[in-house]
Amino acid sequence: MKLHPMWQDYPDLAKQLTTTLHLMEDVVKLKNKKVESAVLDMIHAGGKLLRPAYQLLFAQFGPEQDEKKATALAASIEMLHTATLIHDDIVDDSELRRGLPTIRSTFGNDTAVYAGDYLFICCFKLLSDYSTSLRSLQLNSRSMEKILDGELGQMDDRYKLDQTVEEYLENISGKTAELFALSCSVGAFESGNSERFAKKAGMIGQNIGIAFQIMDDLLDYDAASDTLGKPVLEDVRQGVYSLPLIYAINQDNEELQHLLEKKNQLTAEDALAVQRLVHQLGGTTYAQQLASDYTDQALKDIRKLPDNYFNTKETLERLTRQILLRTN
């Protein structure tokens, strides 16, 4: 079991994340061993584990330090995240996830739905076993509702050439940022902090999650020509327009409009033309600045957090800066 290389710079957190992965592995017990193996492969496929990491870090601010509990809640967060990815792959007809065949491509959509549902159950099982109140269960259920709203919003906006930046931000606030917000708020609340502090933690997570998704969008458009095809071509073919493209569309360029009117008939050559136009029309520059703005707000709020024995503020600031500077 290997963690993403980024955690080599955070040895204490790396130990906790390794324990988190072991716990997830122990919880996943299916009669269908092939599907169980596929779920475990996905869990160990090299995801960055940012959401459980933020949960573990915010747990350090509380007066009730219970590492076993914090690890279990971190595992529940990552299982929730993995469940949403499995269901995303079904909706998107994805063949690969993190370089491995998706569960839907190997076993079919029916089995993938059940696998995702099973991980939802695992998430709530861990929450019910380790949470000290119903508050975290309420937060999780509300977060799942917001995640679904974001997914449905993105679906409604497919092929929408007049989509606004505000609509995009609303969609990713649910689809991506909500899990970051949940991670931070649950970590803070379940370690004995007040609901007010947990809410502030959630707001930090929300801004981090928005910056993270914008950076994902940017990485797609900054990819080299030989690797561009998958992220941009497939998303644009499916009518999923991310921030750099939305900004470029709003510049009312006829060549770009003509390309997008091809919808799912877009070729790899067309995708390269879309990439070129997005850069020329300032889409990537705008997205970079907006990601920086959300990151700066998160960093500003992190600096207002209390000092503690673990130097958690410094770790949070360092980790959050990495999100903006990452290249993969």
Side-chain angles (χ1 to χ4, degrees):
M1 169 187 318
K2 291 185 178 180
L3 294 178
H4 191 278
M6 67 178 290
W7 299 117
Q8 292 176 3
D9 297 329
Y10 306 87
D12 291 338
L13 199 52
K15 290 180 182 178
Q16 288 182 292
L17 289 173
T18 299
T19 303
T20 299
L21 286 176
H22 280 304
L23 179 57
M24 293 170 65
E25 191 176 59
D26 291 341
V27 171
V28 175
K29 300 295 181 186
L30 287 166
K31 291 182 179 179
N32 187 320
K33 294 305 175 183
K34 289 184 179 180
V35 177
E36 177 183 285
S37 178
V39 171
L40 292 174
D41 284 346
M42 187 170 180
I43 287 172
H44 297 308
K48 293 183 178 69
L49 301 177
L50 284 170
R51 295 153 191 84
Y54 275 103
Q55 193 275 335
L56 290 165
L57 286 170
F58 272 93
Q60 294 178 357
F61 287 106
E64 302 170 9
Q65 291 299 310
D66 185 337
E67 187 167 336
K68 185 177 180 180
K69 175 183 175 181
T71 301
L73 295 176
S76 75
I77 293 289
E78 186 61 15
M79 285 183 152
L80 175 57
H81 177 225
T82 305
T84 65
L85 295 182
I86 292 173
H87 286 173
D88 278 352
D89 289 339
I90 297 168
V91 174
D92 297 337
D93 290 328
S94 299
E95 297 296 318
L96 295 174
R97 166 74 65 177
R98 297 170 181 166
L100 294 174
T102 58
I103 292 177
R104 65 150 296 277
S105 69
T106 303
F107 299 100
N109 286 341
D110 291 350
T111 300
V113 168
Y114 291 134
D117 289 349
Y118 176 75
L119 286 179
F120 281 128
I121 293 170
C122 291
C123 165
F124 281 98
K125 180 180 178 181
L126 283 171
L127 275 174
S128 63
D129 286 345
Y130 288 93
S131 177
T132 55
S133 74
L134 289 175
R135 183 58 178 155
S136 291
L137 289 169
Q138 292 170 341
L139 288 171
N140 266 265
S141 60
R142 290 174 186 174
S143 290
M144 288 178 65
E145 181 180 11
K146 291 178 181 178
I147 291 167
L148 179 59
D149 279 344
E151 293 280 7
L152 290 174
Q154 180 176 283
M155 188 178 296
D156 288 342
D157 288 338
R158 286 190 172 183
Y159 300 111
K160 185 178 179 182
L161 293 176
D162 60 348
Q163 185 178 167
T164 66
V165 172
E166 290 72 21
E167 289 171 328
Y168 161 85
L169 290 173
E170 182 179 354
N171 289 340
I172 69 167
S173 290
K175 183 176 181 292
T176 302
E178 183 58 32
L179 262 182
F180 279 89
L182 178 68
S183 301
C184 298
S185 60
V186 166
F189 181 72
E190 286 289 346
S191 58
N193 286 292
S194 67
E195 286 200 34
R196 182 180 178 184
F197 183 86
K199 185 176 181 180
K200 289 181 179 179
M203 290 174 65
I204 292 172
Q206 186 81 8
N207 286 325
I208 290 170
I210 291 173
F212 179 84
Q213 182 60 58
I214 293 173
M215 286 307 303
D216 259 9
D217 295 344
L218 270 167
L219 290 173
D220 287 349
Y221 282 92
D222 284 340
S225 60
D226 59 342
T227 60
L228 176 73
K230 191 273 173 189
V232 174
L233 179 58
E234 289 308 314
D235 280 353
V236 177
R237 273 179 173 171
Q238 294 178 16
V240 179
Y241 301 156
S242 59
L243 183 59
L245 179 56
I246 291 169
Y247 181 86
I249 292 171
N250 289 335
Q251 307 314 301
D252 200 23
N253 179 275
E254 288 187 9
E255 183 182 356
L256 183 58
Q257 295 274 346
H258 175 70
L259 286 166
L260 296 177
E261 285 170 359
K262 295 185 179 183
K263 296 185 177 180
N264 61 359
Q265 301 301 313
L266 211 69
T267 66
E269 185 177 345
D270 292 333
L272 289 172
V274 169
Q275 181 194 38
R276 171 178 55 80
L277 287 167
V278 166
H279 280 278
Q280 289 179 359
L281 296 168
T284 53
T285 301
Y286 176 81
Q288 178 69 51
Q289 183 57 57
L290 197 58
S292 180
D293 290 344
Y294 276 101
T295 301
D296 287 345
Q297 183 58 55
L299 292 171
K300 180 180 177 181
D301 292 336
I302 286 171
R303 294 187 195 106
K304 295 178 182 176
L305 293 170
D307 295 320
N308 63 7
Y309 170 80
F310 303 100
N311 295 319
T312 307
K313 279 202 307 186
E314 289 78 3
T315 303
L316 281 169
E317 184 171 352
R318 181 182 172 196
L319 180 60
T320 301
R321 287 187 185 280
Q322 258 183 276
I323 292 177
L324 191 63
L325 297 174
R326 66 198 173 97
T327 58
N328 56 58

